[in-house]
Amino acid sequence: MAAESRTQKSLLNAKVNTACYFVALAVAFFTRKVFIDRLGIDFVGLTGALQSLLGFLNLAELGVSTAIAYVLYKPLFDGDRSRINEIISVFGFLYRCIGFVILGAGVLLSAFLPLIFADTPFSLPVIYFGFYAFLAASLLGYFVNYKITLLAADQRNYVVTGYFQLTTSAKVLIQMALALYFKNFILFFAIEILAGIANSIILNRKIAKTYPWLAAEVRLGRALFKKYPEIGKYIKQLFVHKIAGFVQFQITPMLVYAYVSLPVVGIYGNYTLISDRVRLFISGILDSTTAGVGNLISEGNRDKIISFYRELFSMRFCVAAIFTACIYVLISPFVRLWLGDSLVLPDLVVALVCLQFFLVVLRGTTDQFINGYGLFYDIWAPATETILFIVSAMTFGSLWGLPGVLMGPIVSTIVIIHIWKPIFLYAKGFRLGVWRYALLFVRNLLAAAIAIAAAFALGRLIGSALDGYGWHHSWFGWLFDAIVFTAIVTTLSLLTFSLLAPGFTTFLRRFVNKRFKK
């Protein structure tokens, strides 16, 4: 595969992900008020609850698509169409099995819907129709849309993202129009099913056009599964990793409630809602290189692989530092204007939220290369991470309340994700001494620290000079501060990273040239 094609696909993935992010944000902002006004806040809550229930059912998938994507990297690089057909056949078989499990679990769960929604104002037919509408739309991914993993592994995830956003936006706008004119709950859920079917038809036609030679046979998947035992091995390993992440995500609000209070859960949730939105935006851009990393590793040029890791690491470090600094400075003034002074968290808690944000964003590059090498067998690591998370959160939470609870994910992430994982990658993937990673990390950390410290100092100086205008207590003032501080910290970060992080300079040249160097 041509190196230039790899760069172009990564850039196209990033562009489409960015565009779709803002389209989704705009559509959600525009339509949510209509749904609340016309269908009621109770109905909006019902749809969210139904989707959460199905989210638990979808745990059955954990690890399968990631394992298949990894196994596809090599045959895609080699252009081995026969192996690709066989692997997609195995994937179709596995996804069909998972689909039947989810269907059975969904039918079983539906028996308890009258108990789960005993206090809602909606009739059981509406609740059941909504549940099975969401279930049917979800099952399409397992029975019909399984081939889209080939697009993701082939760096064409922009196709999936683009068409999904197109059908999703059309679905929501149609639901909004129907809510305005008919105010009918059944119609709302019916559109969910129709949109899922439309998305499936569009994507499968695109796949047939992109890969006219693709002839996957689900009925052969069971027999072919025995030919690829590594798929089952990777699935088992990834399942442990994914479960650990899911448990940590779900348990944080409960720990906040246990050691602080229920209102603080909501106040903390306001901050994480904002930081998570920013993180998803960054991930949509930076994660566009995931399949490219797998493709590059399949090429087997170790020097090129290590060089590209340094570039992506420095670039992600710079982006994470910029956004972390901006969130720390701007999030509390935003919440104050949005919700009022009573819902603003202390500066220490904000700093911990920002540190956690930084650590989660920064882990992406190492995760990409670990996935590219298929290094999933350290299954003790996610178990240890979860134990560290719970023990730290409970211990520090009992001592310091909310700041202590937030130390749980920070401690576990630093120890496992930012210490063990790089050691694992350098030893088993790159086969280099971990001191090289330590040096890379320190140089990037120094660049970020200098830039952020200088930006804070300059920002305070400018803020003091303009304080007499009273801008800081208005949306105009917040927007002005956001533009000025973002410009300052970005400019300083670009300067310090260019001077102290060689990989960052190389990445900038690569980005400008829009091609990989040979």
Side-chain angles (χ1 to χ4, degrees), residues 153-171:
D154 197 24
Q155 293 182 266
R156 300 180 189 274
N157 203 51
Y158 57 86
V159 176
V160 180
T161 303
Y163 283 120
F164 175 79
Q165 188 56 57
L166 175 67
T167 54
T168 300
S169 297
K171 174 198 74 177

Side-chain angles (χ1 to χ4, degrees), residues 419-438:
I419 294 179
W420 161 248
K421 289 294 185 181
I423 293 174
F424 189 42
L425 174 63
Y426 269 71
K428 302 300 182 181
F430 299 156
R431 302 191 182 280
L432 293 173
V434 74
W435 66 267
R436 294 175 183 268
Y437 172 78

Side-chain angles (χ1 to χ4, degrees), residues 212-485:
W213 44 266
L214 186 62
E217 293 286 347
V218 175
R219 59 186 177 83
L220 301 177
R222 181 189 294 272
L224 290 170
F225 189 30
K226 299 176 182 178
K227 184 178 178 180
Y228 297 92
E230 67 271 23
I231 294 177
K233 179 183 70 174
Y234 294 139
I235 289 172
K236 293 175 184 177
Q237 294 169 354
L238 282 163
F239 184 79
V240 178
H241 288 271
K242 300 285 186 178
I243 280 289
F246 181 81
V247 169
Q248 293 178 43
F249 175 77
Q250 293 294 331
I251 203 173
T252 299
M254 291 186 285
L255 289 171
V256 173
Y257 171 58
Y259 288 99
V260 194
S261 67
L262 189 58
V264 172
V265 175
I267 298 172
Y268 170 70
N270 294 330
Y271 278 74
T272 56
L273 175 66
I274 297 170
S275 64
D276 285 346
R277 284 285 184 178
V278 176
R279 179 181 56 80
L280 289 173
F281 168 68
I282 297 173
S283 297
I285 299 174
L286 301 186
D287 291 351
S288 62
T289 58
T290 296
V293 168
N295 182 274
L296 181 64
I297 290 173
S298 297
E299 186 178 323
N301 188 324
R302 193 178 72 150
D303 291 339
K304 197 184 227 183
I305 294 168
I306 296 169
S307 175
F308 195 47
Y309 175 82
R310 288 196 296 262
E311 294 174 34
L312 288 182
F313 184 86
S314 294
M315 181 270 296
R316 188 178 284 266
F317 207 116
C318 180
V319 172
I322 290 171
F323 277 92
T324 299
C326 289
I327 290 174
Y328 179 76
V329 169
L330 299 169
I331 192 169
S332 285
F334 179 86
V335 171
R336 183 175 288 110
L337 291 168
W338 178 34
L339 300 172
D341 291 340
S342 62
L343 298 180
V344 174
L345 289 172
D347 289 343
L348 175 59
V349 176
V350 175
L352 292 173
V353 169
C354 291
L355 177 57
Q356 187 177 355
F357 168 87
F358 175 79
L359 293 172
V360 172
V361 173
L362 185 61
R363 67 176 292 174
T365 300
T366 299
D367 285 347
Q368 285 178 323
F369 279 79
I370 281 178
N371 290 343
Y373 276 109
L375 298 174
F376 310 129
Y377 58 85
D378 60 333
I379 56 176
W380 65 268
T384 304
E385 183 184 359
T386 302
I387 294 171
L388 272 174
F389 172 88
I390 295 174
V391 171
S392 299
M394 293 178 67
T395 302
F396 297 131
S398 64
L399 295 173
W400 304 314
L402 181 57
V405 172
L406 298 185
M407 288 300 296
I410 291 172
V411 169
S412 62
T413 301
I414 290 175
V415 173
I416 300 299
I417 304 302
H418 293 288
I419 294 179
W420 161 248
K421 289 294 185 181
I423 293 174
F424 189 42
L425 174 63
Y426 269 71
K428 302 300 182 181
F430 299 156
R431 302 191 182 280
L432 293 173
V434 74
W435 66 267
R436 294 175 183 268
Y437 172 78
L439 180 61
L440 176 68
F441 186 90
V442 169
R443 295 184 69 166
N444 282 275
L445 181 61
L446 183 61
I450 293 172
I452 292 175
F456 281 175
L458 189 56
R460 280 194 297 268
L461 187 63
I462 295 174
S464 298
L466 297 175
D467 196 41
Y469 292 95
W471 286 355
H472 302 296
H473 307 293
S474 67
W475 283 111
F476 176 80
W478 182 88
L479 183 61
F480 178 82
D481 289 344
I483 293 172
V484 171
F485 184 78

